[in-house]
Amino acid sequence: MRAVVVRTFGGPEAVEVADVAVPEPGAGQVRIKVAAGALNPVDVAVRAGFFGGPGGTLGLGWDVAGTVDAAGASVVWEAGDAVVALVPGVTEPLGAHAEYVVVDADAVAKAPVSVDAVRAGTLPLNGLTALQALDQLELAPGASLLVTGAAGAVGGFAVQLAARRGIEVVGQARADDEELVRSLGAARFTAGGVEPGGVDAVLDAAVLGEPALEWVRDGGAFMGVRPGGQPGSVRGVRTASVSVRPDAAQLAELVRLVDEGVLTLRVAGTYALEEAAKAHARLAEGGVRGRLVLVP
């Protein structure tokens, strides 16, 4: 089969489409025939060597939408089931940007019925990141939350999920994204920031770091999206970062919200698997609203 890999770290030119063996599912695993999967900043970080690796070949891709092709022992999924899944890993030889991928069954959920596979392939990584970040913040209804990068993938999901929980969301993004951010459910919008100590919490999807920490009130909370990259605590502010993990129940909940029209899935463009390097180059240009999706 074909799979997107890197053998040396670098820019988009480091991305290769290689012929590799089709993986076999073990007990408690399923093999998915991939229909689509989003390109995410974490793939760029893996490609550039941000996470290092053992040498040799590293696979790219965390998001997958497709159909179950084969299943190991003790698995309830059957061949032909339409599913979505998170395929985590930054030092694995095979990722989701491939024709087939094997994942643990507890990382898999039924695919949305209201959208096609291309849109479904933008949900797992960014949706789970936003959901798990909000869960860690533990904000009560009525609390104020500033979401940086609110027009982005993680930020956009966070705005929608937080607003649904009754949280007062302040969306921070570029000025020309105001209409989009408000349409996602932000009660307020800012192209800069808010007054120091002006919100109960910040979800820092734009990875602003310490400048965003200043907007949190004394004793509030700050949640980063880059594992271990959060600033140190000041003024009693609890600081942490989310490290996304597979969770079939949470993914199924996100799928339900997609089918109910609560969550918006945004696609900026599609590329064939052979065009993976081209997709990486487009992402590097910036200005992408929604996800670029690879379609085997």
Side-chain angles (χ1 to χ4, degrees):
M1 70 167 190
R2 298 166 301 157
V4 179
V5 302
V6 291
R7 304 181 202 273
T8 59
F9 299 132
E13 72 284 349
V15 176
E16 301 179 39
V17 179
D19 290 323
V20 301
V22 176
E24 295 295 332
Q29 294 183 317
V30 297
R31 184 171 66 208
I32 300 171
K33 183 177 182 180
V34 180
L39 173 63
N40 291 287
V42 67
D43 298 308
V44 175
V46 172
R47 184 202 75 208
F50 182 83
F51 299 104
T57 301
L58 297 179
L60 299 177
W62 286 50
D63 284 318
V64 59
T67 54
V68 173
D69 174 70
S74 304
V75 172
V76 298
W77 297 103
E78 298 180 353
D81 287 341
V83 295
V84 289
L86 179 67
V87 187
V90 293
T91 58
E92 301 298 325
L94 182 63
H97 294 163
E99 292 182 296
Y100 295 89
V101 67
V102 166
V103 297
D104 292 338
D106 59 7
V108 181
K110 183 180 178 181
V113 297
S114 59
V115 298
D116 61 14
V118 171
R119 292 190 180 277
T122 68
L123 177 66
L125 175 60
N126 296 291
L128 285 170
T129 299
L131 177 61
Q132 292 171 11
L134 287 172
D135 285 350
Q136 285 184 238
L137 282 171
E138 299 180 319
L139 297 176
S144 56
L145 170 68
L146 190 149
V147 177
T148 71
V154 173
F157 284 137
V159 170
Q160 292 180 305
L161 291 169
R164 186 173 183 273
R165 296 182 181 191
I167 296 167
E168 182 188 0
V169 179
V170 183
Q172 186 266 354
R174 297 187 311 188
D176 55 3
D177 286 319
E178 180 173 1
E179 182 178 355
L180 167 63
V181 172
R182 288 189 181 276
S183 74
L184 296 175
R188 290 187 283 156
F189 176 84
T190 177
V194 296
E195 66 276 8
V199 292
D200 295 315
V202 163
L203 197 166
D204 188 22
V207 197
L208 301 183
E210 289 188 5
L213 183 62
E214 295 301 313
W215 300 326
V216 182
R217 65 166 173 81
D218 294 358
F222 176 100
M223 184 62 54
V225 297
R226 180 175 291 171
Q230 72 272 17
S233 176
V234 295
R235 300 179 287 104
V237 175
R238 172 171 60 93
T239 65
S241 57
V242 62
S243 183
V244 68
R245 66 188 187 283
D247 188 307
Q250 288 185 333
L251 187 53
E253 171 67 6
L254 292 169
V255 167
R256 184 180 68 82
L257 294 176
V258 169
D259 284 336
E260 291 181 359
V262 174
L263 292 182
T264 303
L265 303 180
R266 294 176 288 153
V267 174
T270 59
Y271 292 82
L273 202 65
E274 291 84 356
E275 298 177 306
K278 184 178 178 181
H280 277 251
R282 173 64 188 93
L283 185 60
E285 293 173 3
V288 175
R289 287 294 175 263
R291 281 288 178 248
L292 305 175
V293 180
L294 295 182
V295 180

